Amino acid sequence: MDNAFKTLIYEKTEEGIAYVTLNRPGALNAYNIQMRDDLYEVLRAIRDDDEVRAVIFKGSGEKAFCAGADLEEFLTAPSPTVARRVRFDRDVWGLFLSLPQPLIAALHGYVLGSGIEMALCCDIRIASDDSKFGLPEMGLGIIPAAGGTQTLPRTIGRSRAMEMLLTNRWISGEEAYLFQLVNRVVPRDQLLPTARDMARRIASQDPKAVRFAKEAVNRGLDLSLSEGLRLERALFLRLTRGRNQEGTDHRTTREA
Ligand code: COA
């Protein structure tokens, strides 16, 4: 499926690392309906591809990971057709958040609106030292609609999220690091190598254990501690039972 998309580039390496590049550099990779459809397709393909062990999301061009929703489309097509509506109802963000593989966002330049929201759907965020993060939705009389009002406070805490959201204050990569919005800030030329090293480390672990660990953390965050501990135990048993079962099956096959 390499490069079958109008707004994305999809690549997969032999070591099981997939790259999704937002590819509308002339519009600072703004998120439009076509990108939503492309993302939906690529995320489904990743979800169903066991060869993919880790995914890196990045933006093409010098200036931005993503400058938010496409304002031209937003301003010129306020009343979508029925067909568009159907596509609009695709739950891209639910799909994004439910992917079993670890997702890494490599963020440079402007990371605005849906750009931050995409990054927040990822498990690990690396920023370059030229990055700028902001939620300009208030200025347009709207609120984030790709999960940002939920994922941002869960990541950086309520008051910091409120400040970013309600005042439209943009923050630098360094400040994003202090807010714990990103895991690391690196020089621009180190952004992809850092993301790639991290993806390689993940890809070198047991893939099933990696998926179970991601599920335990993400599902557990919505639970009380005691429920979370029960979830962890259930996943641990499922993982190890599955292994014992595989061992038994293996022995049986060899002995037969
Ligand atoms: N939707 C559509 N096109 C966009 C865009 C967006 N969200 N953001 C930038 N672009 C386009 C510009 O129209 C411009 O196109 P052009 O070269 O054909 O004129 C191109 O990307 C470069 O942007 P420009 O504004 O010239 O770059 P800049 O460095 O001067 O400013 C920003 C960068 C990000 C500060 C500015 O583009 C901006 O404020 N964008 C809108 C951000 C926003 O409100 N997003 C919506 C969030 S809900």
Side-chain angles (χ1 to χ4, degrees), residues 68-82:
D70 188 304
L71 288 178
E72 279 188 31
E73 204 167 75
F74 177 72
L75 295 172
T76 58
S79 56
T81 62
V82 174

Side-chain angles (χ1 to χ4, degrees), residues 24-31 63-64 66-74 110-115 117 132 134-140 142-144 168 170:
R24 303 185 65 218
L28 305 190
N29 300 320
Y31 181 74
K63 285 178 74 172
C66 170
D70 188 304
L71 288 178
E72 279 188 31
E73 204 167 75
F74 177 72
Y110 294 105
V111 186
L112 305 175
S114 0
E117 294 178 288
K132 290 185 199 67
L135 286 167
E137 281 86 349
M138 281 291 112
L140 300 165
I142 56 172
I143 66 170
N168 187 15
W170 294 10

